[in-house]
Structures are given as C-alpha cells and as structure tokens.
Amino acid sequence: MKKAINKLKDYNSDSFNEIRDLTDIYSQCIHCGMCLTSCPTYLITNFERSSPRGRIKLIKSAAEGQLTISDTFAYEMNFCLDCQACETACPAGVKFGKMVEAARVEVERKGYHSIIKSFFLNKIIPNKNRLKLAAKILRFYQMSGIRTFLHSAVKIDKIFPGLMKIEGLSPDVPKVFSDSFIKEENKPVGKEKFRLAFAYGCLMNVFFPDVNKDTVELLNKIGALVISPTGQTCCGSLNAHNGQFKKARELAEINIKEFGKYKYDYLISNSAGCGAFMKEYGALFRDDEKLCDQARLFSSKVRDLTEFLYEAQTTMHYKNSVKDITYHDACHHVHSQKIYDQPRELLKQIKGINLIPLEDSTKCCGSAGIYNILHYDTSMELLKQKMNNIDKTKADIVLTGNPGCLLQLNYGIKNFNKNIHVMHTASLLNEIIS
C-alpha cells in the first residue's frame, strides 16, 4: 500500500511534487470537518468512514500496515465519487482525489475489482475499433426491436430489474461516429486567427458525435483551423480514476506522441473529465526522461472549450435567442479545473438569454464516470436531488460540459418525467452564433 501511495508523486498537480514522504501528505489534512458538508456520500450515509477525512484515516492506516486491505476498505475507496468537491472546500488544500485514486491502485492489485469493469476499461473503451463495434451492437439492440420485445413480451425488467435499470442509462447510439466526418484538418471560416488541436474523445466520439461536430464548427466560425489527429485515442481518465494507472499511462503516451506531430496553439477538449486528466499528463510523466518535456508541453496547451473562448476574448456574433437556461457544473470542471465563471460569462454575452442560477450547481449529479453503473442506487439519489433543483429553475434548457453529465441528466429527465432539454454548451453556442 505504501508503494502505491508513494506513486502519488508520479501523478499529481504541481503542489504535490514538493511532497517528500507520506507523513507530509497525511499531515495536510487537519481533520477540521470543512469537507463534510461538501461530500455527497457522507451526506447520504452520515458515516465518518464515507467522508474525505474518514477515508484519509483509512488510507493512512493501510499504508502504515495497521489496517489490511479488506472488503470494507475497497468498498469505501470505490464508494467515493471522486468528485473532488472536498478539495474545493478544504482550507488546507489537500488533494484528496489523487489520494483515493492511488488507494484504488492497491485495491485493484489486491483483486478487489469487477472482471466486467476491468474488461470494459482495459479492452473496450480504450480501443477505438472495439468501442465502435460495441456501440454498433448496442444500436442494433436498440433499433431492431429486440429491446422492445424483451421489455413488453418477455417482461425482462421484472426478471432482472437491476440489470434493466442500468440498461436504461445507455444513450440512443447515433448512426455515425464523429471520427468518420471530422477531418484531420478542418479549415476556418474566413481568415485564420487560431491554430487549434481537438480531442474528440472515446465516449464523445460514439455517443455524442453531434456535440463534437458543433465544437469543430463553432471553432471554425471564430477563425480557428482545427486539427484532429486520426491516431488519437482515449485520454485514459476512466482508467486512472479507477486505479488502472498502467493503462492510463499507455493511452496518455499515444496521445502525447500523436498530437506532438502537429503544431498548434491550444488543444481543445469539450469533455470536463478528459480535459482535467490531459492537463495532468505533465505530472504523470514527470519522472520519465524521454516523455517529460513533451508531456509538460502537451498539458500546458490543454484548454476546455469554454475556458479557451473566454480567455481568447473572441468576438462572436450571436443571433438573438430568447431562452431560459440554467447551468450544471461538471465536477471535473469546477473542482478539478476551477472552471466556473467562464461558461457563465460567455452565456451572459448573448442577448435574450436568461441565465437562471441552479441551486447546488456544483454538486455531483451522480454520474462520476461509471459510478452510476457500479453504485446505481446512490447515483439515483444524487440525480433525484439534482433534477429537483433543475425543476425549480423552470428553465427550458440545462447546459453542461461533460458526456457523463449529459447521459445522467438525460436519464433523469426520462426517469423522473421532467420537462426540460439537456444540451452541451458547445451545441447551444454553435446554434446561435452567426
């Protein structure tokens, strides 16, 4: 366990690079309790062990050999959403997310993992062709009538209620994926003002090609030449967050080398989780003599779409649009990347847009990567809270900037019978920019 926790120094933000031993890591937490009211799992269970400071105590005890890795330890490390809301609340600046992710490495090593989860994270999602094949199979299941038959005639939801709940989380798979129509070089409208790279992702590629299309079109409209390498792959964030650092590093190395073949000003991400992890490639390879400089350069250029549009102070001409909109903050935007004001400031520039504040907008919706699959009931409790808050706004549209959030909120609309439209910020901006 101590070896796994020591690997925090191989994968962390700059503030963690100064840490010299485990004592320094743990001593950062002063057990003040400021994190408790921000922790979704603690608020649900009221168990100290399900709080950030409780989990830090568990990790410390395991690392020092006072506690063996057990079912309870493994459960608590994976029961954490890794939403990192506690990091925003922490007055001492404890980087809890990286601690729990490092602990998950040891949990995985000890064999406390699902074979199915490992199969999908290692064999399907990181492999572009396998993921597209899996998506096509899912589409066939959705469109062929098999799903309707199983639900209506066989009543399979009565036989396997748990499985059918999870099945409902899957989105309707589109006919084409974004890597089939996004070119390696996408020319700007008018004079070239920016030279940007774009990561179309893995799940975004197969489930949200329309959002990727909107992103590229939007960037082209503001004068950006957009480069999207055909050799790019999954960023590795899902693997890293689930304790599979070896696979995460393999994927990161591919992206560093592929994007390194091109010259560009910034690398744009429209996925909060992907953007947050790609910004940490530099820290991930900090002790790798061959890739250190390339990884650091790569990370320094990564920008979320709204972050770039805000920082670049681009002149965008919007069509008047009378809409009541509210905004849900993806955890890996607000807590990991500290992106909060940027999307709101962009929306305020649009005439006719009524931006309605969302209560607890920065609280996790329950998606958290694959958390909604592994901890369905807890995820639904968090989603219900989120949907009730969205309902209070009476908005027409709820915006967000992460694929997991898009899937979760759309499921919430269907499951809780809400009358509101979920959109990615890129899609709204592209719709109303001239």
Side-chain angles (χ1 to χ4, degrees), residues 8 23 40 53 55 93-94 118 158 184 202 207 239-240 244-245 325 329 358 369 385 395 414 417 432-434:
L8 278 167
T23 303
R53 69 179 184 184
R55 291 185 177 113
V94 175
S118 295
K158 302 293 183 183
E184 194 160 25
C202 51
F207 291 141
N239 298 88
Q244 298 172 356
F245 279 103
I325 290 174
D329 294 276
L358 174 63
Q385 296 170 14
K414 178 176 64 177
N417 195 29
I432 60 180
I433 189 174
S434 57

Side-chain angles (χ1 to χ4, degrees), residues 270-284:
N270 59 10
S271 167
C274 298
F277 187 61
M278 288 191 294
K279 285 181 178 180
E280 302 213 29
Y281 279 9
L284 188 66

Side-chain angles (χ1 to χ4, degrees), residues 237-261:
S237 62
L238 283 175
N239 298 88
H241 298 326
N242 285 279
Q244 298 172 356
F245 279 103
K246 182 179 179 181
K247 189 64 179 180
R249 285 176 63 97
E250 290 175 5
L251 297 169
E253 183 173 347
I254 292 173
N255 283 325
I256 291 168
K257 291 179 177 178
E258 284 300 317
F259 282 92
K261 297 174 182 177

Side-chain angles (χ1 to χ4, degrees), residues 116-250:
I116 295 176
K117 182 185 84 169
S118 295
F119 174 74
F120 273 93
L121 287 178
N122 283 295
K123 303 298 183 182
I124 302 298
I125 293 177
N127 187 292
K128 191 185 300 184
N129 291 328
R130 290 176 192 161
L131 179 59
K132 289 196 289 186
L133 177 60
K136 288 176 181 177
I137 293 172
L138 178 57
R139 176 175 169 76
F140 175 77
Y141 165 73
Q142 293 173 340
M143 304 301 293
S144 65
I146 295 175
R147 178 167 63 176
T148 302
F149 173 75
L150 290 176
H151 281 272
S152 59
V154 182
K155 302 293 183 183
I156 196 169
D157 52 329
K158 302 293 183 183
I159 303 172
F160 301 107
L163 180 61
M164 289 302 101
K165 286 178 181 178
I166 294 173
E167 183 253 14
L169 289 167
S170 62
D172 291 334
V173 181
K175 291 182 180 179
V176 295
F177 307 134
S178 54
D179 64 344
S180 68
F181 58 79
I182 293 179
K183 301 174 183 177
E184 194 160 25
E185 187 174 289
N186 305 270
K187 295 183 179 180
V189 175
K191 183 180 178 182
E192 182 181 322
K193 299 177 182 177
F194 308 98
R195 189 177 181 87
L196 306 174
F198 173 60
Y200 51 64
C202 51
L203 297 181
M204 290 294 290
N205 182 41
V206 298
F207 291 141
F208 298 104
D210 55 331
V211 176
N212 281 341
K213 178 176 178 288
D214 286 328
T215 301
V216 173
E217 287 182 356
L218 175 62
L219 293 172
N220 287 158
K221 286 179 181 179
I222 64 167
L225 181 144
V226 179
I227 299 164
S228 195
T230 56
Q232 64 179 286
T233 189
C234 169
C235 71
S237 62
L238 283 175
N239 298 88
H241 298 326
N242 285 279
Q244 298 172 356
F245 279 103
K246 182 179 179 181
K247 189 64 179 180
R249 285 176 63 97
E250 290 175 5

Side-chain angles (χ1 to χ4, degrees), residues 16-59:
F16 263 58
N17 291 340
E18 301 303 317
I19 293 174
R20 292 290 175 264
D21 54 46
L22 291 173
T23 303
D24 288 340
I25 295 175
Y26 300 130
S27 65
Q28 285 191 16
C29 176
I30 57 177
H31 303 287
C32 64
M34 293 290 286
C35 60
L36 298 181
T37 56
S38 68
C39 178
T41 53
Y42 175 77
L43 292 175
I44 289 174
T45 66
N46 285 319
F47 292 157
E48 177 70 13
R49 74 186 190 200
S50 296
S51 71
R53 69 179 184 184
R55 291 185 177 113
I56 288 174
K57 288 180 180 178
L58 288 174
I59 294 170

